[in-house]
Amino acid sequence: MSKIPYKIYLSEDELPTQWMNIRPFMKELPEPMLNPATGKPCTKEDLLPVFCEDLVDQELNVTDKYFDIPGEILDFYKMYRPSPLIRAYTLEKALGTPAKIYYKFEGTNTSGSHKLNSAAAQVYYAKKQGLTHLTTETGAGQWGTALSMACAFYDMQLKVFMVKVSAQQKPHRKAVIETYGGLVIPSPSDTTEIGRKILENNPGTGGSLGCAISEAIEVATHTPDCRYVLGSVLNHVLMHQTVIGLETKKACEKYDINPDIIIGCAGGGSNLGGLITPFMADKISGKNDIHFIAVEPASCPSLTRGKFAYDFGDTGKTTPLMKMYTLGSGFIPSANHAGGLRYHGMNSVLSKLYDDGYFEARSVEQTKVFEAATYFAKCEGTLPAPESSHAIRVAMDEAIKCKETGEAKTILFGLTGTGYFDMTAYQAYHNKTMTDYIPTDEDLEKGFATLPDLCALK
Amino acid sequence: MSKIPYKIYLSEDELPTQWMNIRPFMKELPEPMLNPATGKPCTKEDLLPVFCEDLVDQELNVTDKYFDIPGEILDFYKMYRPSPLIRAYTLEKALGTPAKIYYKFEGTNTSGSHKLNSAAAQVYYAKKQGLTHLTTETGAGQWGTALSMACAFYDMQLKVFMVKVSAQQKPHRKAVIETYGGLVIPSPSDTTEIGRKILENNPGTGGSLGCAISEAIEVATHTPDCRYVLGSVLNHVLMHQTVIGLETKKACEKYDINPDIIIGCAGGGSNLGGLITPFMADKISGKNDIHFIAVEPASCPSLTRGKFAYDFGDTGKTTPLMKMYTLGSGFIPSANHAGGLRYHGMNSVLSKLYDDGYFEARSVEQTKVFEAATYFAKCEGTLPAPESSHAIRVAMDEAIKCKETGEAKTILFGLTGTGYFDMTAYQAYHNKTMTDYIPTDEDLEKGFATLPDLCALK
């Protein structure tokens, strides 16, 4: 065993050359996607008008444990990966905890987050298929930024439907996407049928991820050589993110680090899933007993307060149905919620694993999140994204518990990105104008009322 | 020789443990700082009311070739260093050049720039001296951000005088500094005597680095246990930045990379000096024949159009006099200039080396700089700071020349930081509202008119 440095950097030779598909490792598979028109499991043909072919194959594959990462994607990854696994020595000292805290830091690329891992892959496959245009949605802007970077690299045209309230609050996020050549359209917009319909029914709405997805899909299916790509929720996206977990596991093995707890923030689930996949596969087969914790915002609590049900992925109800923890596709988090993690549902594999008791979920309020973010920034130097700071909050809570019990647990969390474009929220926290919001049961019931009636579909 | 990876990361064990003082390597020393009250070389005692003692010792030392980096500073460095030396494979391919392009990337820490290298050192020495407060100035905001991070780490109180126009244009830069606990005061302010005087004489002024320095020094000299720290220009700051050049040289030697050209952007000179110092020492002794190029904005051309003369470091004419290339302490770059590199003078050692013909200087217009920045971002993923993009511009120009001549030169440049907080400028470039400005000879004459009359001082 080597001495553990502050930052563990694997070499390029140690970069994983395969992604890991968690499904073949599961004792029971998640229920399949359903075609809402037939009520039957989605076929490849159902999905091809919307998604790239290779990605559909990955999405539907429940048997192959590993997928080779194409050389071109590996070359792209080498521009910014492997990412460092960092020992939070200063944070540990400041907390006075006997716990050892590590974080896998995905913010070292300019897109500023882990989203680039899937963006690089998805754009590569689109190019390979001979496509020329892509559409997508973005909320906080991390996914739109990452995708515009990848599209610049592969010379693809990109149209990004950006949740209107985010586009207004974050003009600089928009500017970054435009610098990389992406076209940003605040959503809902009058450029799509579904957008016009949403605007008619909800004049003055600030939009939501669900609306933006509907618009992006409409354009993708009505434009030649164009497909829609998504930054989270789907299984192939989660699989691309396993490069995070595979690197983390390799670094842990190299330096004999044995995590007792692994923590990730959870929106659509791709970063959490990507981080924990290789460890979870071992847990399923009894090789470890790691305590996994998903952390979500109290204002958008799909795992902790949602229903495990079939639901649409978008507000316009145009996507296949997925069995997932969901607040209903009509749920929109309250406007005071800063940053991402605002999706109404959760990746279906994670939903199944959660339902089967393989991990814990916690929800935290945003002032507590920004308190942790600021504390972390002062200790460790890195200014974390609000999303990532959900994981920091719980990592700190667990480290403080260790201080009380005297246990020297090893806590590992995913630091998915940086908060450079979230200074308005940081400033609100600093000025004490930031507020919390926990949806009432009545708020949630309104969301649940938008869940589809499966019987009516058939 | 090992295969050259995309990113060369030295290990923590390879982090330099000494800074390098270029002066003992020079054939002729630069002229000393003068005390404007006496016209005689500054003594240690002259400087102690303003600066920390260890930093004064470093500033005045012209004989010791190396200074040990204290363990505490090394520990801080290990949180984000060694920084990567990156091969710009994608940029080379896009340009179709036979040149090999490398960049030393200092933007991987949250402060987003190389400034942290000196901030970490300066705050450490202040703490060691038993001080509790520091003051400084910041223009584009990189230095203020870095210093606030270091002050958070060492638990020091910090007051940052931020050039007013920058504070207004970059509220998020201000928010970052505040997140790390620094107090930001737009300059000129009514909190200092010199600030009130400047406001009286120039109502409505947007301020300048020179004004902000005057205010910060006034507060430092009127507050108990407080000193002033500076982010560039001075020799000790440049010396702290030699960690960049020493890492670069070590990486080059490890992978048998032999730069023909080394390029750095030049404002006060600390990053350029830090990058080239170890290579320059070899050049002085005849061990290499590297072509060094300093790149400055056409709107603030201290090397290419300034005078080599004794001048004050600040607008209020309160600092010692330094023999340097200068536009006059009254020179203020035109308001359309985006980003940093707006200081009227240049580090005295670099000024001397330039005067002695050891390197070339070029000035570039900002639309050309942002053209290069955008091109680089699309190729290499990283969104560069406007300051750093001056070096990118010239690196690309040189690589294009190689394409024309067929020469496979090795070009190395310093990428000092990221442009996350410069999106307003990027947007102006994108929207074609960005303009260039080259000062007329008359503009420059007005600046030169503010140069001190040395005879009158004695």
Side-chain angles (χ1 to χ4, degrees):
Chain A
M1 190 192 105
S2 327
K3 173 181 159 277
I4 297 180
Y6 280 67
K7 303 174 304 302
I8 300 173
Y9 271 108
L10 298 175
S11 70
E12 279 177 17
D13 299 338
E14 293 170 299
L15 188 66
T17 55
Q18 295 183 311
W19 294 301
M20 190 171 178
N21 182 11
I22 183 74
R23 287 166 288 179
F25 295 90
M26 292 168 72
K27 292 202 169 147
E28 210 173 286
L29 282 175
E31 308 236 18
M33 270 186 186
L34 298 182
N35 181 333
T38 62
K40 292 199 176 132
C42 275
T43 62
K44 182 171 172 178
E45 287 63 38
D46 289 341
L47 297 174
L48 285 181
V50 178
F51 297 104
C52 305
E53 182 164 3
D54 283 289
L55 299 172
V56 171
D57 287 337
Q58 294 175 4
E59 186 64 29
L60 297 177
N61 189 313
V62 297
T63 50
D64 291 329
K65 292 182 171 175
Y66 295 94
F67 279 77
D68 287 341
I69 304 176
E72 290 86 346
I73 299 176
L74 277 179
D75 277 347
F76 192 107
Y77 280 175
K78 284 178 187 169
M79 287 170 65
Y80 69 99
R81 304 202 69 82
S83 70
L85 179 67
I86 302 175
R87 174 79 182 265
Y89 283 115
T90 316
L91 179 65
E92 290 170 17
K93 201 176 150 194
L95 293 173
T97 177
K100 298 180 197 75
I101 308 175
Y102 294 87
Y103 55 98
K104 178 70 170 170
F105 183 36
E106 291 292 313
T108 53
N109 68 78
T110 289
S111 90
S113 80
H114 67 291
K115 296 283 187 185
L116 196 54
N117 301 327
S118 188
Q122 295 194 45
V123 180
Y124 164 77
Y125 287 117
K127 187 84 183 176
K128 183 177 160 227
Q129 191 174 329
L131 304 174
T132 54
H133 289 67
L134 290 173
T135 69
T136 197
E137 81 299 326
T138 199
Q142 290 186 336
W143 170 244
T145 304
L147 195 65
S148 67
M149 276 181 65
C151 282
F153 187 85
Y154 287 109
D155 197 20
M156 293 279 283
Q157 298 297 309
L158 173 67
K159 198 175 268 188
V160 180
F161 288 90
M162 184 168 187
V163 177
K164 191 177 279 176
V165 62
S166 288
Q168 287 162 348
Q169 285 172 359
K170 298 185 171 188
H172 287 179
R173 216 20 134 173
K174 183 167 171 284
V176 176
I177 297 172
E178 288 170 348
T179 296
Y180 286 107
L183 179 66
V184 178
I185 301 176
S187 165
S189 75
D190 60 6
T191 69
T192 66
E193 214 165 295
I194 192 88
R196 288 188 291 271
K197 201 169 145 194
I198 292 169
L199 282 173
E200 202 182 301
N201 295 337
N202 309 272
T205 176
S208 73
L209 268 185
C211 300
I213 293 173
S214 299
E215 291 204 273
I217 290 178
E218 182 182 320
V219 172
T221 51
H222 289 75
T223 308
D225 298 324
C226 183
R227 292 292 184 284
Y228 165 70
V229 292
L230 183 64
S232 189
V233 184
L234 297 177
N235 294 318
H236 65 273
V237 185
L238 188 153
M239 190 180 77
H240 302 151
Q241 297 296 355
T242 60
V243 69
I244 304 173
L246 290 164
E247 281 181 14
T248 304
K249 191 151 184 271
K250 200 173 281 189
C252 284
E253 285 164 1
K254 193 167 172 180
Y255 290 93
D256 200 20
I257 299 163
N258 297 293
D260 297 295
I261 304 174
I262 298 182
I263 302 164
C265 61
S270 71
N271 117 74
L272 174 71
L275 174 63
I276 70 176
T277 284
F279 299 96
M280 180 62 83
D282 280 356
K283 177 163 181 166
I284 291 170
S285 67
K287 285 191 205 134
N288 72 42
D289 191 29
I290 295 173
H291 181 188
F292 300 100
I293 308 175
V295 193
E296 59 185 15
S299 55
C300 191
S302 56
L303 285 171
T304 50
R305 296 177 70 197
K307 289 194 176 169
F308 191 38
Y310 267 107
D311 194 9
F312 289 101
D314 66 331
T315 311
K317 304 195 173 187
T318 62
T319 70
L321 292 165
M322 292 170 285
K323 179 84 180 281
M324 60 181 176
Y325 275 85
T326 176
L327 299 163
S329 65
F331 179 86
I332 296 180
S334 81
N336 72 341
H337 173 79
L341 309 183
R342 47 171 77 230
Y343 187 65
H344 65 274
M346 177 59 60
N347 166 267
S348 62
V349 166
L350 287 177
S351 291
K352 173 68 176 159
L353 287 167
Y354 180 61
D355 201 57
D356 289 347
Y358 283 103
F359 65 90
E360 183 194 347
R362 292 187 200 168
S363 73
V364 287
E365 293 172 53
Q366 68 177 355
T367 53
K368 293 282 179 196
V369 167
F370 276 86
E371 181 189 43
T374 304
Y375 192 89
F376 181 85
K378 287 184 178 174
C379 289
E380 292 288 316
T382 293
L383 188 85
E387 299 81 12
S388 326
S389 303
H390 287 71
I392 296 175
R393 172 77 267 170
V394 169
M396 282 173 57
D397 290 345
E398 290 297 315
I400 291 164
K401 268 190 218 162
C402 285
K403 186 180 177 179
E404 287 157 8
T405 63
E407 289 172 288
K409 285 188 181 171
T410 296
I411 300 168
L412 190 154
F413 69 93
L415 189 72
T416 54
T418 50
Y420 297 97
F421 294 104
D422 300 283
M423 293 319 301
T424 305
Y426 268 98
Q427 211 157 20
Y429 173 73
H430 184 73
N431 298 338
K432 303 194 195 312
T433 55
M434 177 176 278
T435 53
D436 287 319
Y437 179 72
I438 303 179
T440 63
D441 288 341
E442 277 170 12
D443 293 333
L444 293 187
E445 282 308 326
K446 279 182 209 159
F448 294 144
T450 64
L451 284 170
D453 178 357
L454 276 198
C455 302
L457 290 174
K458 289 169 193 176
Chain B
M1 191 192 109
S2 325
K3 172 181 159 279
I4 297 180
Y6 279 67
K7 305 174 305 302
I8 301 173
Y9 271 109
L10 298 176
S11 71
E12 279 176 17
D13 300 338
E14 293 171 298
L15 188 65
T17 56
Q18 296 183 311
W19 294 302
M20 191 170 178
N21 183 11
I22 183 73
R23 287 165 289 179
F25 295 90
M26 293 168 73
K27 292 201 171 147
E28 210 175 286
L29 283 174
E31 308 236 20
M33 270 187 187
L34 298 182
N35 181 331
T38 63
K40 294 200 176 131
C42 275
T43 61
K44 183 171 172 178
E45 288 63 38
D46 289 341
L47 298 173
L48 285 180
V50 179
F51 297 105
C52 306
E53 184 165 1
D54 284 289
L55 298 173
V56 171
D57 287 337
Q58 293 174 3
E59 186 64 28
L60 298 178
N61 189 313
V62 296
T63 51
D64 291 329
K65 291 182 171 174
Y66 295 94
F67 279 76
D68 287 340
I69 304 175
E72 291 85 346
I73 299 175
L74 277 179
D75 279 347
F76 192 107
Y77 280 175
K78 284 178 186 169
M79 288 169 65
Y80 68 99
R81 303 202 69 83
S83 71
L85 179 67
I86 302 175
R87 174 80 182 264
Y89 283 114
T90 315
L91 178 65
E92 290 171 18
K93 201 174 149 195
L95 293 173
T97 178
K100 299 181 196 75
I101 308 175
Y102 294 87
Y103 55 98
K104 177 70 170 170
F105 183 36
E106 291 292 313
T108 54
N109 68 79
T110 289
S111 90
S113 81
H114 68 291
K115 296 284 187 185
L116 196 54
N117 301 326
S118 188
Q122 295 194 46
V123 181
Y124 164 77
Y125 288 118
K127 187 84 180 175
K128 182 178 160 227
Q129 191 173 329
L131 303 175
T132 54
H133 289 67
L134 290 174
T135 68
T136 197
E137 83 298 326
T138 200
Q142 291 186 336
W143 170 244
T145 303
L147 195 66
S148 67
M149 278 181 64
C151 282
F153 187 86
Y154 287 111
D155 198 19
M156 292 280 283
Q157 298 298 309
L158 173 67
K159 197 176 271 189
V160 181
F161 288 89
M162 186 169 186
V163 176
K164 191 178 279 174
V165 62
S166 288
Q168 287 162 347
Q169 285 172 358
K170 298 186 171 186
H172 287 179
R173 209 33 125 167
K174 182 167 172 284
V176 175
I177 297 172
E178 287 170 349
T179 296
Y180 286 107
L183 179 66
V184 177
I185 301 176
S187 165
S189 76
D190 60 6
T191 69
T192 67
E193 213 165 296
I194 191 89
R196 287 187 291 271
K197 200 169 144 194
I198 292 169
L199 283 172
E200 203 182 299
N201 295 337
N202 310 272
T205 177
S208 73
L209 267 185
C211 300
I213 293 173
S214 299
E215 290 204 274
I217 291 178
E218 181 182 320
V219 172
T221 52
H222 289 75
T223 308
D225 298 324
C226 182
R227 291 293 184 284
Y228 165 70
V229 293
L230 183 63
S232 189
V233 183
L234 298 177
N235 294 316
H236 65 273
V237 184
L238 189 153
M239 189 180 78
H240 302 151
Q241 297 296 355
T242 59
V243 69
I244 303 173
L246 291 162
E247 281 181 15
T248 303
K249 192 152 183 272
K250 200 174 280 189
C252 283
E253 285 164 1
K254 193 168 173 180
Y255 289 93
D256 199 20
I257 299 162
N258 297 293
D260 298 295
I261 304 174
I262 298 182
I263 302 163
C265 62
S270 73
N271 116 72
L272 174 71
L275 174 63
I276 69 175
T277 283
F279 299 97
M280 181 62 84
D282 280 357
K283 177 162 181 167
I284 292 170
S285 67
K287 284 190 205 136
N288 72 41
D289 191 29
I290 296 173
H291 182 188
F292 301 100
I293 308 174
V295 192
E296 59 185 14
S299 56
C300 192
S302 57
L303 284 172
T304 50
R305 296 178 70 197
K307 290 193 176 171
F308 191 38
Y310 267 106
D311 194 8
F312 289 101
D314 67 329
T315 311
K317 304 195 173 187
T318 62
T319 69
L321 292 165
M322 292 170 286
K323 178 84 181 281
M324 58 182 177
Y325 274 85
T326 176
L327 299 164
S329 66
F331 179 85
I332 296 180
S334 82
N336 71 341
H337 173 80
L341 310 184
R342 49 171 77 232
Y343 187 65
H344 66 275
M346 176 59 60
N347 167 266
S348 61
V349 166
L350 287 177
S351 291
K352 173 69 177 158
L353 287 167
Y354 180 61
D355 201 56
D356 289 347
Y358 283 102
F359 65 90
E360 183 195 347
R362 291 188 201 168
S363 73
V364 287
E365 294 173 52
Q366 68 178 355
T367 52
K368 292 283 178 193
V369 167
F370 277 85
E371 181 190 43
T374 304
Y375 193 90
F376 181 85
K378 287 184 179 174
C379 289
E380 292 288 316
T382 293
L383 187 85
E387 298 81 14
S388 326
S389 304
H390 287 71
I392 296 175
R393 172 77 268 171
V394 170
M396 283 173 56
D397 290 345
E398 290 298 315
I400 290 164
K401 268 189 219 163
C402 285
K403 186 179 178 181
E404 288 156 9
T405 63
E407 289 173 289
K409 286 188 183 173
T410 296
I411 300 168
L412 190 155
F413 69 93
L415 189 72
T416 55
T418 50
Y420 296 97
F421 293 105
D422 300 284
M423 293 320 300
T424 304
Y426 268 97
Q427 212 156 19
Y429 173 72
H430 184 73
N431 298 338
K432 303 194 196 311
T433 56
M434 177 175 278
T435 52
D436 287 318
Y437 179 73
I438 303 179
T440 62
D441 288 341
E442 277 171 12
D443 292 334
L444 294 187
E445 282 307 325
K446 280 183 209 157
F448 296 144
T450 64
L451 284 170
D453 178 357
L454 276 198
C455 302
L457 292 172
K458 287 168 194 175

